[in-house]
Amino acid sequence: MARLVMKFGGTSVADIDRIRNVARHVKREVDAGHEVAVVVSAMSGVTNQLVAWCEAALSERRLFDAREYDAVLATGEDVTAGLLAITLQDMDVNARSWQGWQLPILTSNAHASARILDVNGAELIRRFTERKEVAVIAGFQGLHKETGRITTLGRGGSDTSAVAVAAAIHADRCDIYTDVDGVYTTDPRVVPRARRLDRIAFEEMLELASLGAKVLQVRSVELGMVHNVRIFVRSSFDPPESIDPHRNPPGTLICDEDEIMEKQTVTGIAFSRDEAQISIREVQDKPGVAAAIFGPLAEANINVDMIVQNVTSDGKTTDLTFTVPATDYQRALDVITRAKDAIGYRRLDSATDVAKISVIGIGMRSHAGVAAQAFRALAERTVNIRAITTSEIKFSLLIDAAFTELAVRTLHSLYGLDKATA
Ligand code: ADP
Ligand code: ASP
Ligand code: MG
């Protein structure tokens, strides 16, 4: 007998038929004698609709009261949790739904991107033992204890709820059921030749997730790494009764680096179109300039990612290029314009039609020249590189958004990631 967390994302619970399909997956594990806590997302499209309603309720460009935004957004998951509990009961599986505040799942006060601080799993464990009851938990939400308000964890946050619950109840496994059957070398919807990985190291998954692969929320991977949770990414569309509940599931295991036998130099490629580039032209090249630019951006809570600085031939002025999340683009421009006198520059150029392509692999620690191969391959396809950053296990390139797919496919083949064709 094992204790499992089973998490189902939005597409997997998109309508009542799919919720019934999910219930069959749950029933299979319960019938095999496992103790099960299920974590669910809102039905596909519901969270987007709730966001749109919040936006429509505001006049002009005013900001949300984040507490109310969370009060609205958390309801999506409440509906799915109740519906799945009803469906399970209908199949004679003993089940009870739980909203975040009822366990409780305690979080920080950062509404719309709260961090989980503590999950009380005691009542769930008592009910596993005494009543053989399945817990159906609303993902994505929690409670800030001091204010007593409902919080949400940021988009994609149900993954994090699932891993946190798994850690709290000491689950043997946390299965993330989604609309793909594992983690691929890159988004399989964009590159049909992407290959499914049997295993991927926590560190690599962290990079993939934070650089654009949406299959797992970054914080869920961080939590899994800290608490040593065995996370499997697998498909909810596999026929529920065709799976043997006593074996390791088909899918991708996120694990420690030393559990991976076959180490490749490059494991995966991520990409993100949610970037914007800002170039500050002819800045006085003197001490304190970087502080004058990045200080106000940091104070405005804007995350700067790539930074490139060029010195002109006369050595007096410099051009400075950096990227920010597209959502912060307008605010970043405002901040830099306001600080113009303190910085001292001639003009600003900017672009939002850019994309960041990132190549990731722990093997890069011991292999030189991996990035150089990419520069050559992209040059051959006349893809211009606007900015580059590197770190121990990854490098990222900023390019024109129009070339995203071409660049990802080119690099995917270059590093031998394409699946063999029959
Ligand atoms: P859910 O609703 O189940 O949480 P998401 O839409 O959040 O699912 O995440 C699954 C999606 O992530 C897939 O449909 C796929 O298009 C995308 N994706 C991006 N990169 C990858 C990758 N490297 N491997 C697998 N899926 C990926
Ligand atoms: N429903 C939330 C979202 O769409 C959380 C999740 O699905 O993980 O972002
Ligand atoms: Mg998701």
Side-chain angles (χ1 to χ4, degrees):
M1 186 200 75
R3 184 173 291 165
L4 305 178
V5 169
M6 305 173 73
K7 181 259 171 179
F8 295 90
T11 345
S12 307
V13 293
D15 54 35
I16 299 296
D17 277 347
R18 291 211 180 147
I19 291 179
R20 203 165 284 130
N21 180 64
V22 161
R24 284 164 56 202
H25 279 290
V26 174
K27 184 169 164 36
R28 176 192 67 233
E29 303 297 340
V30 172
D31 288 348
H34 300 323
E35 295 175 340
V36 179
V38 188
V39 174
V40 287
S41 287
M43 295 161 85
S44 172
V46 166
T47 310
N48 287 346
Q49 174 65 73
L50 295 170
V51 172
W53 279 336
C54 287
E55 283 168 354
L58 279 181
S59 56
E60 311 268 298
R61 284 180 59 194
R62 296 180 63 181
L63 290 177
F64 299 119
D65 179 330
R67 289 161 295 192
E68 303 309 338
Y69 174 87
D70 277 356
V72 175
L73 260 69
T75 61
E77 273 66 13
D78 295 344
V79 173
T80 327
L83 288 175
L84 180 58
I86 292 174
T87 314
L88 284 165
Q89 289 169 3
D90 190 53
M91 293 180 178
D92 296 323
V93 176
N94 190 14
R96 182 62 61 215
S97 73
W98 297 87
Q99 297 180 2
W101 64 271
Q102 290 174 306
L103 284 179
I105 295 175
L106 296 179
T107 73
S108 70
N109 200 19
H111 282 278
S113 60
R115 276 183 179 273
I116 295 182
L117 303 175
D118 187 52
V119 177
N120 180 5
E123 181 64 13
L124 302 185
I125 295 174
R126 195 176 69 74
R127 289 172 181 236
F128 289 153
T129 331
E130 292 177 10
R131 307 188 192 177
K132 305 239 169 294
E133 187 176 279
V134 172
V136 185
I137 302 160
F140 182 54
Q141 53 171 268
L143 172 74
H144 179 246
K145 201 168 168 188
E146 284 74 35
T147 57
R149 309 276 341 162
I150 306 291
T151 53
T152 65
L153 309 178
R155 298 304 305 266
S158 298
D159 298 326
T160 305
S161 309
V163 176
V165 168
I169 64 172
H170 310 289
D172 297 288
R173 230 169 58 209
C174 180
D175 285 350
I176 306 284
Y177 286 81
T178 182
D179 54 6
V180 279
D181 60 358
V183 178
Y184 279 69
T185 46
T186 192
D187 190 338
R189 291 183 202 289
V190 172
V191 181
R193 288 180 155 195
R195 248 190 308 124
R196 190 178 76 188
L197 299 160
D198 288 335
R199 292 173 177 226
I200 181 167
F202 278 114
E203 277 185 63
E204 292 172 319
M205 192 63 232
L206 258 186
E207 295 286 7
L208 264 187
S210 57
L211 294 165
K214 129 179 198 229
V215 61
L216 284 177
Q217 199 199 33
V218 180
R219 282 184 195 161
S220 70
V221 188
E222 278 168 0
L223 268 187
M225 199 161 154
V226 172
H227 295 285
N228 228 333
V229 177
R230 287 184 92 68
I231 305 174
F232 267 96
V233 178
R234 55 188 297 185
S235 171
S236 68
F237 298 133
D238 288 338
E241 290 79 22
S242 71
I243 296 164
D244 180 348
H246 297 290
R247 304 179 67 148
N248 261 350
T252 303
L253 172 69
I254 324 292
C255 61
D256 283 334
E257 197 177 322
D258 25 302
E259 287 185 66
I260 298 177
M261 301 297 180
E262 264 181 80
K263 292 203 174 70
Q264 301 221 315
T265 313
V266 170
T267 305
I269 298 177
F271 54 90
S272 158
R273 296 185 182 94
D274 304 327
E275 313 284 320
Q277 174 192 327
I278 298 177
S279 296
I280 310 183
R281 306 288 182 201
E282 294 182 51
V283 186
Q284 293 305 307
D285 193 14
K286 57 177 194 235
V289 163
I293 295 171
F294 298 116
L297 288 169
E299 275 161 33
N301 231 334
I302 296 172
N303 256 331
V304 174
D305 181 17
M306 310 172 104
I307 302 176
V308 184
Q309 183 175 347
N310 291 317
V311 181
T312 48
S313 50
D314 64 6
K316 288 192 187 130
T317 62
T318 172
D319 282 357
L320 210 141
T321 293
F322 58 89
T323 62
V324 294
T327 44
D328 290 333
Y329 169 66
Q330 198 52 52
R331 279 200 313 128
L333 281 184
D334 293 347
V335 167
I336 298 297
T337 311
R338 253 182 279 125
K340 183 165 186 186
D341 290 345
I343 304 168
Y345 61 86
R346 184 174 290 274
R347 66 168 210 281
L348 278 185
D349 287 336
S350 55
T352 49
D353 51 352
V354 292
K356 182 170 69 178
I357 316 290
S358 304
V359 176
I360 296 140
I362 37 184
M364 273 190 233
R365 282 196 201 118
S366 45
H367 283 85
V370 182
Q373 285 176 282
F375 305 153
R376 220 172 300 124
L378 293 178
E380 277 166 16
R381 284 169 179 70
T382 63
V383 177
N384 187 34
I385 300 170
R386 293 165 170 255
I388 302 168
T389 51
T390 62
S391 72
E392 204 190 17
I393 65 162
K394 67 128 212 279
F395 64 89
S396 299
L397 310 172
L398 193 71
I399 62 168
D400 290 351
F403 296 121
T404 309
E405 293 186 11
L406 173 67
V408 173
R409 289 192 181 141
T410 302
L411 299 182
H412 198 266
S413 304
L414 176 73
Y415 294 114
L417 299 176
D418 288 353
K419 125 175 114 187
T421 41

